[in-house]
Amino acid sequence: MYTFVEKRIEKDEAELASWYQKQEEKNIFPTDVILERDIPYMNDGVRTHEMDIYRPKKVTGKFPVIMDFHGGGLITGDRRLNKWFAGEMASRGFIVCSIGYPLVPQRDICGLLRDSYQGVVTAIEMLGEFAGDPDRIYMCGDSAGGFVATYLTAIQNNAKIAKSAGIETKEFQIKALGTISGLFYTGRIDKHGFVILRKYYYGDKFRKNPFWKYVNPENREVMEGLPAIFGVTSKADFLNDNTLKYNKALEKAGKSMKLFYYGDKDELTHDFVIMKPELPETKEVLDNLARFFNENY
């Protein structure tokens, strides 16, 4: 990998470790939520093939289920980052499966999606142990996790996309999709510069990869495979143009995104819903996301 990218990853990982420690010290985890960590979804001993499950302590029937994916540009981060988000959503009456996935370049994006899909399948198979409702399954992700959640949803609903990624789908339905500070374009040439990583994302001969046809999330087949979508971004989010652009593309394709755009506060930076759990705007987003999911079943 490019040396400057490796250095940036090292810097990001150090900053995230420091951030996580500070959050542990200052944020109170919901007392009405049970957290079960490090549950393997592939029996290979790989840490990124594990998930954390958050569930309400009080069982009052079957709970709707969120499959959640962390951000980090697909090259850094882990599911610990989403602890407070997942805990708060569980406190609002959901089972949250925070699914880890291998990062680039250990896996290319197709491999990453295959592993993530297996995480979803395993989580669904386990729902009976956690009072989860297999008829109310939602996908969610922040930043690059929004990319993962979006494509897994499209793959579930389009056999051609699934085949291009090497995924054999199982029988389940995704009722709605939540994206936080997304969407994340992996092949677009723009100011964000992610395009320089495409050979790591898709291989040296990326243009010959069958999945390359679908690498633009504005591909009509990708968009047609999406259910109702929740989106949130802010003026200070450096990827806000991606979310706004994708919202317009969805509207043009006759699809809908319920978009919450915070345009007037500098502290609402990229992925603030995950990275700044103490903000009142974060709590507002969580309430709106819970309401959105509950209205789409």
mmCIF file of all heavy atoms in Angstrom, residues 182-226:
data_model
loop_
_atom_site.group_PDB
_atom_site.id
_atom_site.type_symbol
_atom_site.label_atom_id
_atom_site.label_comp_id
_atom_site.label_asym_id
_atom_site.label_seq_id
_atom_site.Cartn_x
_atom_site.Cartn_y
_atom_site.Cartn_z
ATOM 1 N N GLY A 182 -23.016 9.040 5.029
ATOM 2 C CA GLY A 182 -22.685 8.371 3.770
ATOM 3 C C GLY A 182 -23.132 9.287 2.635
ATOM 4 O O GLY A 182 -23.500 10.431 2.907
ATOM 5 N N LEU A 183 -23.143 8.937 1.432
ATOM 6 C CA LEU A 183 -22.673 7.641 1.023
ATOM 7 C C LEU A 183 -21.191 7.724 0.670
ATOM 8 O O LEU A 183 -20.633 8.801 0.563
ATOM 9 C CB LEU A 183 -23.495 7.135 -0.160
ATOM 10 C CG LEU A 183 -23.316 5.677 -0.546
ATOM 11 C CD1 LEU A 183 -23.717 4.688 0.498
ATOM 12 C CD2 LEU A 183 -23.993 5.399 -1.865
ATOM 13 N N PHE A 184 -20.591 6.590 0.451
ATOM 14 C CA PHE A 184 -19.157 6.481 0.291
ATOM 15 C C PHE A 184 -18.880 5.942 -1.114
ATOM 16 O O PHE A 184 -19.216 4.804 -1.415
ATOM 17 C CB PHE A 184 -18.642 5.523 1.367
ATOM 18 C CG PHE A 184 -17.147 5.342 1.416
ATOM 19 C CD1 PHE A 184 -16.354 6.250 2.089
ATOM 20 C CD2 PHE A 184 -16.551 4.245 0.832
ATOM 21 C CE1 PHE A 184 -14.985 6.067 2.174
ATOM 22 C CE2 PHE A 184 -15.190 4.047 0.904
ATOM 23 C CZ PHE A 184 -14.403 4.960 1.575
ATOM 24 N N TYR A 185 -18.317 6.780 -1.975
ATOM 25 C CA TYR A 185 -18.029 6.381 -3.347
ATOM 26 C C TYR A 185 -16.595 5.848 -3.438
ATOM 27 O O TYR A 185 -15.644 6.553 -3.088
ATOM 28 C CB TYR A 185 -18.161 7.575 -4.287
ATOM 29 C CG TYR A 185 -19.576 8.046 -4.539
ATOM 30 C CD1 TYR A 185 -20.300 8.717 -3.562
ATOM 31 C CD2 TYR A 185 -20.190 7.840 -5.765
ATOM 32 C CE1 TYR A 185 -21.591 9.169 -3.780
ATOM 33 C CE2 TYR A 185 -21.484 8.285 -6.010
ATOM 34 C CZ TYR A 185 -22.180 8.952 -5.016
ATOM 35 O OH TYR A 185 -23.458 9.400 -5.249
ATOM 36 N N THR A 186 -16.426 4.621 -3.924
ATOM 37 C CA THR A 186 -15.099 4.010 -3.962
ATOM 38 C C THR A 186 -14.414 4.105 -5.329
ATOM 39 O O THR A 186 -13.237 3.799 -5.436
ATOM 40 C CB THR A 186 -15.177 2.521 -3.589
ATOM 41 O OG1 THR A 186 -16.058 1.859 -4.514
ATOM 42 C CG2 THR A 186 -15.694 2.344 -2.166
ATOM 43 N N GLY A 187 -15.145 4.505 -6.351
ATOM 44 C CA GLY A 187 -14.539 4.540 -7.674
ATOM 45 C C GLY A 187 -14.610 5.885 -8.352
ATOM 46 O O GLY A 187 -14.184 6.043 -9.501
ATOM 47 N N ARG A 188 -15.126 6.880 -7.667
ATOM 48 C CA ARG A 188 -15.339 8.184 -8.264
ATOM 49 C C ARG A 188 -14.109 9.058 -8.122
ATOM 50 O O ARG A 188 -13.477 9.114 -7.054
ATOM 51 C CB ARG A 188 -16.536 8.839 -7.558
ATOM 52 C CG ARG A 188 -16.945 10.189 -8.082
ATOM 53 C CD ARG A 188 -18.250 10.594 -7.393
ATOM 54 N NE ARG A 188 -18.190 11.974 -6.956
ATOM 55 C CZ ARG A 188 -18.963 12.493 -6.020
ATOM 56 N NH1 ARG A 188 -19.829 11.741 -5.404
ATOM 57 N NH2 ARG A 188 -18.865 13.755 -5.689
ATOM 58 N N ILE A 189 -13.731 9.751 -9.191
ATOM 59 C CA ILE A 189 -12.611 10.681 -9.145
ATOM 60 C C ILE A 189 -13.132 12.023 -8.646
ATOM 61 O O ILE A 189 -13.885 12.714 -9.329
ATOM 62 C CB ILE A 189 -11.969 10.845 -10.533
ATOM 63 C CG1 ILE A 189 -11.425 9.494 -11.024
ATOM 64 C CG2 ILE A 189 -10.852 11.874 -10.495
ATOM 65 C CD1 ILE A 189 -10.885 9.534 -12.438
ATOM 66 N N ASP A 190 -12.765 12.378 -7.423
ATOM 67 C CA ASP A 190 -13.238 13.624 -6.843
ATOM 68 C C ASP A 190 -12.232 14.125 -5.819
ATOM 69 O O ASP A 190 -11.152 13.559 -5.645
ATOM 70 C CB ASP A 190 -14.627 13.452 -6.226
ATOM 71 C CG ASP A 190 -14.648 12.404 -5.095
ATOM 72 O OD1 ASP A 190 -13.564 12.054 -4.590
ATOM 73 O OD2 ASP A 190 -15.740 11.953 -4.720
ATOM 74 N N LYS A 191 -12.593 15.157 -5.114
ATOM 75 C CA LYS A 191 -11.673 15.793 -4.169
ATOM 76 C C LYS A 191 -11.330 14.920 -2.973
ATOM 77 O O LYS A 191 -10.348 15.171 -2.274
ATOM 78 C CB LYS A 191 -12.276 17.103 -3.671
ATOM 79 C CG LYS A 191 -13.570 16.933 -2.873
ATOM 80 C CD LYS A 191 -14.162 18.273 -2.478
ATOM 81 C CE LYS A 191 -15.459 18.098 -1.691
ATOM 82 N NZ LYS A 191 -16.064 19.386 -1.324
ATOM 83 N N HIS A 192 -12.123 13.876 -2.714
ATOM 84 C CA HIS A 192 -11.874 13.043 -1.542
ATOM 85 C C HIS A 192 -10.732 12.061 -1.766
ATOM 86 O O HIS A 192 -10.144 11.570 -0.810
ATOM 87 C CB HIS A 192 -13.140 12.302 -1.143
ATOM 88 C CG HIS A 192 -14.294 13.207 -0.902
ATOM 89 N ND1 HIS A 192 -14.247 14.247 0.016
ATOM 90 C CD2 HIS A 192 -15.531 13.265 -1.463
ATOM 91 C CE1 HIS A 192 -15.402 14.893 0.008
ATOM 92 N NE2 HIS A 192 -16.194 14.316 -0.876
ATOM 93 N N GLY A 193 -10.430 11.746 -3.021
ATOM 94 C CA GLY A 193 -9.246 10.973 -3.323
ATOM 95 C C GLY A 193 -9.336 9.480 -3.104
ATOM 96 O O GLY A 193 -8.329 8.781 -3.194
ATOM 97 N N PHE A 194 -10.528 8.950 -2.815
ATOM 98 C CA PHE A 194 -10.634 7.515 -2.572
ATOM 99 C C PHE A 194 -10.271 6.691 -3.803
ATOM 100 O O PHE A 194 -9.911 5.518 -3.689
ATOM 101 C CB PHE A 194 -12.054 7.151 -2.118
ATOM 102 C CG PHE A 194 -12.439 7.789 -0.823
ATOM 103 C CD1 PHE A 194 -13.513 8.651 -0.739
ATOM 104 C CD2 PHE A 194 -11.721 7.523 0.332
ATOM 105 C CE1 PHE A 194 -13.874 9.240 0.460
ATOM 106 C CE2 PHE A 194 -12.073 8.106 1.538
ATOM 107 C CZ PHE A 194 -13.151 8.973 1.601
ATOM 108 N N VAL A 195 -10.362 7.320 -4.986
ATOM 109 C CA VAL A 195 -10.097 6.592 -6.217
ATOM 110 C C VAL A 195 -8.672 6.038 -6.272
ATOM 111 O O VAL A 195 -8.415 5.038 -6.933
ATOM 112 C CB VAL A 195 -10.388 7.501 -7.443
ATOM 113 C CG1 VAL A 195 -9.318 8.573 -7.582
ATOM 114 C CG2 VAL A 195 -10.495 6.678 -8.714
ATOM 115 N N ILE A 196 -7.733 6.656 -5.547
ATOM 116 C CA ILE A 196 -6.350 6.157 -5.576
ATOM 117 C C ILE A 196 -6.241 4.779 -4.932
ATOM 118 O O ILE A 196 -5.244 4.078 -5.129
ATOM 119 C CB ILE A 196 -5.377 7.131 -4.875
ATOM 120 C CG1 ILE A 196 -5.667 7.208 -3.375
ATOM 121 C CG2 ILE A 196 -5.401 8.499 -5.521
ATOM 122 C CD1 ILE A 196 -4.625 7.975 -2.588
ATOM 123 N N LEU A 197 -7.263 4.384 -4.175
ATOM 124 C CA LEU A 197 -7.231 3.097 -3.500
ATOM 125 C C LEU A 197 -7.957 2.005 -4.267
ATOM 126 O O LEU A 197 -8.058 0.880 -3.792
ATOM 127 C CB LEU A 197 -7.864 3.225 -2.107
ATOM 128 C CG LEU A 197 -7.128 4.111 -1.102
ATOM 129 C CD1 LEU A 197 -7.961 4.261 0.165
ATOM 130 C CD2 LEU A 197 -5.761 3.551 -0.769
ATOM 131 N N ARG A 198 -8.430 2.306 -5.472
ATOM 132 C CA ARG A 198 -9.312 1.337 -6.119
ATOM 133 C C ARG A 198 -8.625 0.014 -6.452
ATOM 134 O O ARG A 198 -9.282 -1.029 -6.478
ATOM 135 C CB ARG A 198 -9.950 1.946 -7.373
ATOM 136 C CG ARG A 198 -8.997 2.407 -8.440
ATOM 137 C CD ARG A 198 -9.762 3.155 -9.517
ATOM 138 N NE ARG A 198 -8.850 3.722 -10.499
ATOM 139 C CZ ARG A 198 -9.239 4.491 -11.507
ATOM 140 N NH1 ARG A 198 -10.520 4.781 -11.653
ATOM 141 N NH2 ARG A 198 -8.374 4.980 -12.355
ATOM 142 N N LYS A 199 -7.312 0.028 -6.683
ATOM 143 C CA LYS A 199 -6.647 -1.260 -6.953
ATOM 144 C C LYS A 199 -6.571 -2.105 -5.686
ATOM 145 O O LYS A 199 -6.490 -3.331 -5.753
ATOM 146 C CB LYS A 199 -5.261 -1.051 -7.553
ATOM 147 C CG LYS A 199 -4.185 -0.580 -6.600
ATOM 148 C CD LYS A 199 -2.838 -0.586 -7.323
ATOM 149 C CE LYS A 199 -1.704 -0.195 -6.372
ATOM 150 N NZ LYS A 199 -0.385 -0.261 -7.042
ATOM 151 N N TYR A 200 -6.600 -1.441 -4.509
ATOM 152 C CA TYR A 200 -6.661 -2.190 -3.257
ATOM 153 C C TYR A 200 -8.097 -2.602 -2.952
ATOM 154 O O TYR A 200 -8.342 -3.670 -2.386
ATOM 155 C CB TYR A 200 -6.104 -1.349 -2.110
ATOM 156 C CG TYR A 200 -4.655 -0.977 -2.302
ATOM 157 C CD1 TYR A 200 -4.286 0.313 -2.651
ATOM 158 C CD2 TYR A 200 -3.656 -1.935 -2.162
ATOM 159 C CE1 TYR A 200 -2.956 0.653 -2.840
ATOM 160 C CE2 TYR A 200 -2.323 -1.601 -2.354
ATOM 161 C CZ TYR A 200 -1.980 -0.308 -2.692
ATOM 162 O OH TYR A 200 -0.669 0.021 -2.891
ATOM 163 N N TYR A 201 -9.025 -1.749 -3.337
ATOM 164 C CA TYR A 201 -10.430 -2.066 -3.134
ATOM 165 C C TYR A 201 -10.889 -3.229 -4.017
ATOM 166 O O TYR A 201 -11.643 -4.091 -3.574
ATOM 167 C CB TYR A 201 -11.307 -0.854 -3.447
ATOM 168 C CG TYR A 201 -11.301 0.256 -2.413
ATOM 169 C CD1 TYR A 201 -11.573 1.562 -2.785
ATOM 170 C CD2 TYR A 201 -11.057 -0.003 -1.073
ATOM 171 C CE1 TYR A 201 -11.596 2.585 -1.850
ATOM 172 C CE2 TYR A 201 -11.073 1.001 -0.134
ATOM 173 C CZ TYR A 201 -11.350 2.304 -0.526
ATOM 174 O OH TYR A 201 -11.371 3.314 0.401
ATOM 175 N N TYR A 202 -10.442 -3.234 -5.284
ATOM 176 C CA TYR A 202 -10.997 -4.169 -6.258
ATOM 177 C C TYR A 202 -9.969 -5.023 -6.986
ATOM 178 O O TYR A 202 -10.342 -5.818 -7.844
ATOM 179 C CB TYR A 202 -11.836 -3.407 -7.282
ATOM 180 C CG TYR A 202 -12.996 -2.674 -6.664
ATOM 181 C CD1 TYR A 202 -12.961 -1.289 -6.488
ATOM 182 C CD2 TYR A 202 -14.106 -3.361 -6.202
ATOM 183 C CE1 TYR A 202 -14.023 -0.615 -5.891
ATOM 184 C CE2 TYR A 202 -15.170 -2.698 -5.607
ATOM 185 C CZ TYR A 202 -15.121 -1.324 -5.452
ATOM 186 O OH TYR A 202 -16.164 -0.665 -4.854
ATOM 187 N N GLY A 203 -8.668 -4.885 -6.661
ATOM 188 C CA GLY A 203 -7.638 -5.675 -7.313
ATOM 189 C C GLY A 203 -6.941 -4.898 -8.415
ATOM 190 O O GLY A 203 -7.443 -3.893 -8.920
ATOM 191 N N ASP A 204 -5.747 -5.371 -8.799
ATOM 192 C CA ASP A 204 -4.953 -4.676 -9.824
ATOM 193 C C ASP A 204 -5.713 -4.533 -11.136
ATOM 194 O O ASP A 204 -5.605 -3.524 -11.821
ATOM 195 C CB ASP A 204 -3.641 -5.439 -10.061
ATOM 196 C CG ASP A 204 -2.673 -5.285 -8.903
ATOM 197 O OD1 ASP A 204 -2.743 -4.254 -8.203
ATOM 198 O OD2 ASP A 204 -1.860 -6.199 -8.686
ATOM 199 N N LYS A 205 -6.465 -5.554 -11.500
ATOM 200 C CA LYS A 205 -7.233 -5.514 -12.753
ATOM 201 C C LYS A 205 -8.694 -5.186 -12.434
ATOM 202 O O LYS A 205 -9.620 -5.890 -12.824
ATOM 203 C CB LYS A 205 -7.114 -6.860 -13.467
ATOM 204 C CG LYS A 205 -5.682 -7.199 -13.867
ATOM 205 C CD LYS A 205 -5.599 -8.552 -14.564
ATOM 206 C CE LYS A 205 -4.151 -8.865 -14.948
ATOM 207 N NZ LYS A 205 -4.029 -10.187 -15.615
ATOM 208 N N PHE A 206 -8.867 -4.060 -11.712
ATOM 209 C CA PHE A 206 -10.195 -3.739 -11.176
ATOM 210 C C PHE A 206 -11.254 -3.593 -12.243
ATOM 211 O O PHE A 206 -12.413 -3.927 -12.022
ATOM 212 C CB PHE A 206 -10.127 -2.485 -10.295
ATOM 213 C CG PHE A 206 -9.488 -1.287 -10.921
ATOM 214 C CD1 PHE A 206 -10.224 -0.426 -11.707
ATOM 215 C CD2 PHE A 206 -8.139 -1.016 -10.729
ATOM 216 C CE1 PHE A 206 -9.649 0.695 -12.286
ATOM 217 C CE2 PHE A 206 -7.549 0.102 -11.299
ATOM 218 C CZ PHE A 206 -8.298 0.965 -12.083
ATOM 219 N N ARG A 207 -10.868 -3.110 -13.434
ATOM 220 C CA ARG A 207 -11.874 -2.916 -14.479
ATOM 221 C C ARG A 207 -12.396 -4.250 -15.022
ATOM 222 O O ARG A 207 -13.450 -4.281 -15.655
ATOM 223 C CB ARG A 207 -11.306 -2.059 -15.608
ATOM 224 C CG ARG A 207 -11.156 -0.590 -15.231
ATOM 225 C CD ARG A 207 -10.859 0.285 -16.430
ATOM 226 N NE ARG A 207 -10.805 1.685 -16.065
ATOM 227 C CZ ARG A 207 -9.714 2.315 -15.650
ATOM 228 N NH1 ARG A 207 -8.568 1.637 -15.554
ATOM 229 N NH2 ARG A 207 -9.741 3.601 -15.342
ATOM 230 N N LYS A 208 -11.662 -5.336 -14.789
ATOM 231 C CA LYS A 208 -12.115 -6.650 -15.227
ATOM 232 C C LYS A 208 -12.877 -7.390 -14.137
ATOM 233 O O LYS A 208 -13.393 -8.480 -14.371
ATOM 234 C CB LYS A 208 -10.916 -7.482 -15.685
ATOM 235 C CG LYS A 208 -10.243 -6.921 -16.944
ATOM 236 C CD LYS A 208 -9.124 -7.837 -17.415
ATOM 237 C CE LYS A 208 -8.489 -7.283 -18.689
ATOM 238 N NZ LYS A 208 -7.389 -8.163 -19.186
ATOM 239 N N ASN A 209 -12.931 -6.806 -12.955
ATOM 240 C CA ASN A 209 -13.691 -7.405 -11.865
ATOM 241 C C ASN A 209 -15.187 -7.324 -12.207
ATOM 242 O O ASN A 209 -15.691 -6.241 -12.526
ATOM 243 C CB ASN A 209 -13.404 -6.633 -10.571
ATOM 244 C CG ASN A 209 -14.026 -7.271 -9.341
ATOM 245 O OD1 ASN A 209 -15.123 -7.817 -9.399
ATOM 246 N ND2 ASN A 209 -13.332 -7.189 -8.222
ATOM 247 N N PRO A 210 -15.923 -8.438 -12.170
ATOM 248 C CA PRO A 210 -17.356 -8.401 -12.513
ATOM 249 C C PRO A 210 -18.144 -7.385 -11.690
ATOM 250 O O PRO A 210 -19.149 -6.842 -12.166
ATOM 251 C CB PRO A 210 -17.820 -9.833 -12.226
ATOM 252 C CG PRO A 210 -16.584 -10.669 -12.341
ATOM 253 C CD PRO A 210 -15.472 -9.796 -11.841
ATOM 254 N N PHE A 211 -17.675 -7.131 -10.467
ATOM 255 C CA PHE A 211 -18.380 -6.193 -9.600
ATOM 256 C C PHE A 211 -18.175 -4.749 -10.035
ATOM 257 O O PHE A 211 -18.937 -3.864 -9.618
ATOM 258 C CB PHE A 211 -17.900 -6.385 -8.155
ATOM 259 C CG PHE A 211 -18.689 -5.620 -7.124
ATOM 260 C CD1 PHE A 211 -19.940 -6.056 -6.728
ATOM 261 C CD2 PHE A 211 -18.185 -4.473 -6.536
ATOM 262 C CE1 PHE A 211 -20.675 -5.363 -5.768
ATOM 263 C CE2 PHE A 211 -18.900 -3.771 -5.578
ATOM 264 C CZ PHE A 211 -20.144 -4.217 -5.200
ATOM 265 N N TRP A 212 -17.147 -4.488 -10.846
ATOM 266 C CA TRP A 212 -16.825 -3.113 -11.239
ATOM 267 C C TRP A 212 -18.004 -2.422 -11.918
ATOM 268 O O TRP A 212 -18.176 -1.214 -11.807
ATOM 269 C CB TRP A 212 -15.602 -3.093 -12.152
ATOM 270 C CG TRP A 212 -15.127 -1.709 -12.476
ATOM 271 C CD1 TRP A 212 -15.228 -1.045 -13.671
ATOM 272 C CD2 TRP A 212 -14.475 -0.790 -11.585
ATOM 273 N NE1 TRP A 212 -14.691 0.209 -13.589
ATOM 274 C CE2 TRP A 212 -14.224 0.392 -12.319
ATOM 275 C CE3 TRP A 212 -14.092 -0.853 -10.254
ATOM 276 C CZ2 TRP A 212 -13.597 1.496 -11.734
ATOM 277 C CZ3 TRP A 212 -13.470 0.243 -9.679
ATOM 278 C CH2 TRP A 212 -13.238 1.401 -10.420
ATOM 279 N N LYS A 213 -18.847 -3.180 -12.573
ATOM 280 C CA LYS A 213 -20.034 -2.621 -13.233
ATOM 281 C C LYS A 213 -20.929 -1.903 -12.236
ATOM 282 O O LYS A 213 -21.637 -0.951 -12.589
ATOM 283 C CB LYS A 213 -20.810 -3.744 -13.917
ATOM 284 C CG LYS A 213 -22.140 -3.321 -14.530
ATOM 285 C CD LYS A 213 -22.851 -4.507 -15.144
ATOM 286 C CE LYS A 213 -24.216 -4.103 -15.702
ATOM 287 N NZ LYS A 213 -24.950 -5.256 -16.279
ATOM 288 N N TYR A 214 -20.875 -2.348 -10.972
ATOM 289 C CA TYR A 214 -21.786 -1.821 -9.962
ATOM 290 C C TYR A 214 -21.094 -0.916 -8.950
ATOM 291 O O TYR A 214 -21.690 -0.548 -7.936
ATOM 292 C CB TYR A 214 -22.445 -2.987 -9.220
ATOM 293 C CG TYR A 214 -23.145 -3.954 -10.134
ATOM 294 C CD1 TYR A 214 -22.599 -5.203 -10.418
ATOM 295 C CD2 TYR A 214 -24.354 -3.613 -10.744
ATOM 296 C CE1 TYR A 214 -23.232 -6.091 -11.269
ATOM 297 C CE2 TYR A 214 -24.996 -4.495 -11.603
ATOM 298 C CZ TYR A 214 -24.422 -5.734 -11.865
ATOM 299 O OH TYR A 214 -25.062 -6.604 -12.712
ATOM 300 N N VAL A 215 -19.840 -0.561 -9.223
ATOM 301 C CA VAL A 215 -19.069 0.170 -8.219
ATOM 302 C C VAL A 215 -19.640 1.565 -7.940
ATOM 303 O O VAL A 215 -19.464 2.106 -6.850
ATOM 304 C CB VAL A 215 -17.587 0.257 -8.643
ATOM 305 C CG1 VAL A 215 -17.405 1.204 -9.817
ATOM 306 C CG2 VAL A 215 -16.706 0.662 -7.480
ATOM 307 N N ASN A 216 -20.329 2.141 -8.903
ATOM 308 C CA ASN A 216 -20.998 3.419 -8.679
ATOM 309 C C ASN A 216 -22.359 3.144 -8.037
ATOM 310 O O ASN A 216 -23.216 2.511 -8.649
ATOM 311 C CB ASN A 216 -21.180 4.159 -9.998
ATOM 312 C CG ASN A 216 -21.777 5.550 -9.813
ATOM 313 O OD1 ASN A 216 -22.260 5.899 -8.728
ATOM 314 N ND2 ASN A 216 -21.756 6.341 -10.862
ATOM 315 N N PRO A 217 -22.586 3.597 -6.807
ATOM 316 C CA PRO A 217 -23.866 3.316 -6.142
ATOM 317 C C PRO A 217 -25.060 3.947 -6.850
ATOM 318 O O PRO A 217 -26.208 3.625 -6.518
ATOM 319 C CB PRO A 217 -23.676 3.889 -4.738
ATOM 320 C CG PRO A 217 -22.595 4.919 -4.883
ATOM 321 C CD PRO A 217 -21.688 4.393 -5.956
ATOM 322 N N GLU A 218 -24.790 4.831 -7.823
ATOM 323 C CA GLU A 218 -25.866 5.411 -8.602
ATOM 324 C C GLU A 218 -26.287 4.513 -9.766
ATOM 325 O O GLU A 218 -27.194 4.862 -10.529
ATOM 326 C CB GLU A 218 -25.467 6.794 -9.109
ATOM 327 C CG GLU A 218 -25.264 7.803 -7.995
ATOM 328 C CD GLU A 218 -24.806 9.155 -8.496
ATOM 329 O OE1 GLU A 218 -25.116 9.504 -9.653
ATOM 330 O OE2 GLU A 218 -24.128 9.869 -7.742
ATOM 331 N N ASN A 219 -25.622 3.366 -9.912
ATOM 332 C CA ASN A 219 -26.048 2.378 -10.893
ATOM 333 C C ASN A 219 -27.524 2.062 -10.662
ATOM 334 O O ASN A 219 -27.954 1.821 -9.529
ATOM 335 C CB ASN A 219 -25.191 1.119 -10.735
ATOM 336 C CG ASN A 219 -25.619 -0.011 -11.653
ATOM 337 O OD1 ASN A 219 -26.636 -0.653 -11.427
ATOM 338 N ND2 ASN A 219 -24.832 -0.273 -12.675
ATOM 339 N N ARG A 220 -28.301 2.039 -11.718
ATOM 340 C CA ARG A 220 -29.747 1.882 -11.563
ATOM 341 C C ARG A 220 -30.109 0.562 -10.893
ATOM 342 O O ARG A 220 -31.025 0.516 -10.064
ATOM 343 C CB ARG A 220 -30.438 1.994 -12.933
ATOM 344 C CG ARG A 220 -31.964 1.873 -12.860
ATOM 345 C CD ARG A 220 -32.615 2.353 -14.122
ATOM 346 N NE ARG A 220 -32.499 3.797 -14.241
ATOM 347 C CZ ARG A 220 -33.332 4.668 -13.686
ATOM 348 N NH1 ARG A 220 -34.337 4.240 -12.928
ATOM 349 N NH2 ARG A 220 -33.167 5.951 -13.857
ATOM 350 N N GLU A 221 -29.400 -0.507 -11.224
ATOM 351 C CA GLU A 221 -29.714 -1.794 -10.603
ATOM 352 C C GLU A 221 -29.442 -1.771 -9.104
ATOM 353 O O GLU A 221 -30.161 -2.400 -8.331
ATOM 354 C CB GLU A 221 -28.908 -2.906 -11.270
ATOM 355 C CG GLU A 221 -29.356 -3.217 -12.688
ATOM 356 C CD GLU A 221 -28.524 -4.316 -13.311
ATOM 357 O OE1 GLU A 221 -28.879 -5.493 -13.133
ATOM 358 O OE2 GLU A 221 -27.507 -3.997 -13.955
ATOM 359 N N VAL A 222 -28.396 -1.061 -8.706
ATOM 360 C CA VAL A 222 -28.106 -0.923 -7.278
ATOM 361 C C VAL A 222 -29.239 -0.166 -6.594
ATOM 362 O O VAL A 222 -29.771 -0.608 -5.565
ATOM 363 C CB VAL A 222 -26.763 -0.200 -7.048
ATOM 364 C CG1 VAL A 222 -26.564 0.114 -5.566
ATOM 365 C CG2 VAL A 222 -25.604 -1.050 -7.560
ATOM 366 N N MET A 223 -29.625 0.964 -7.165
ATOM 367 C CA MET A 223 -30.658 1.782 -6.536
ATOM 368 C C MET A 223 -32.011 1.080 -6.515
ATOM 369 O O MET A 223 -32.766 1.208 -5.553
ATOM 370 C CB MET A 223 -30.755 3.137 -7.242
ATOM 371 C CG MET A 223 -29.525 4.019 -7.029
ATOM 372 S SD MET A 223 -29.758 5.743 -7.559
ATOM 373 C CE MET A 223 -29.912 5.514 -9.337
ATOM 374 N N GLU A 224 -32.322 0.324 -7.574
ATOM 375 C CA GLU A 224 -33.599 -0.379 -7.617
ATOM 376 C C GLU A 224 -33.690 -1.449 -6.537
ATOM 377 O O GLU A 224 -34.787 -1.830 -6.130
ATOM 378 C CB GLU A 224 -33.800 -1.011 -8.999
ATOM 379 C CG GLU A 224 -34.130 0.008 -10.083
ATOM 380 C CD GLU A 224 -34.219 -0.617 -11.464
ATOM 381 O OE1 GLU A 224 -33.837 -1.806 -11.602
ATOM 382 O OE2 GLU A 224 -34.653 0.076 -12.404
ATOM 383 N N GLY A 225 -32.537 -1.924 -6.066
ATOM 384 C CA GLY A 225 -32.536 -2.951 -5.033
ATOM 385 C C GLY A 225 -32.602 -2.409 -3.623
ATOM 386 O O GLY A 225 -32.428 -3.178 -2.662
ATOM 387 N N LEU A 226 -32.859 -1.113 -3.472
ATOM 388 C CA LEU A 226 -32.862 -0.507 -2.142
ATOM 389 C C LEU A 226 -34.288 -0.229 -1.663
ATOM 390 O O LEU A 226 -35.131 0.245 -2.421
ATOM 391 C CB LEU A 226 -32.076 0.803 -2.162
ATOM 392 C CG LEU A 226 -30.603 0.688 -2.586
ATOM 393 C CD1 LEU A 226 -29.942 2.063 -2.571
ATOM 394 C CD2 LEU A 226 -29.832 -0.281 -1.700
#
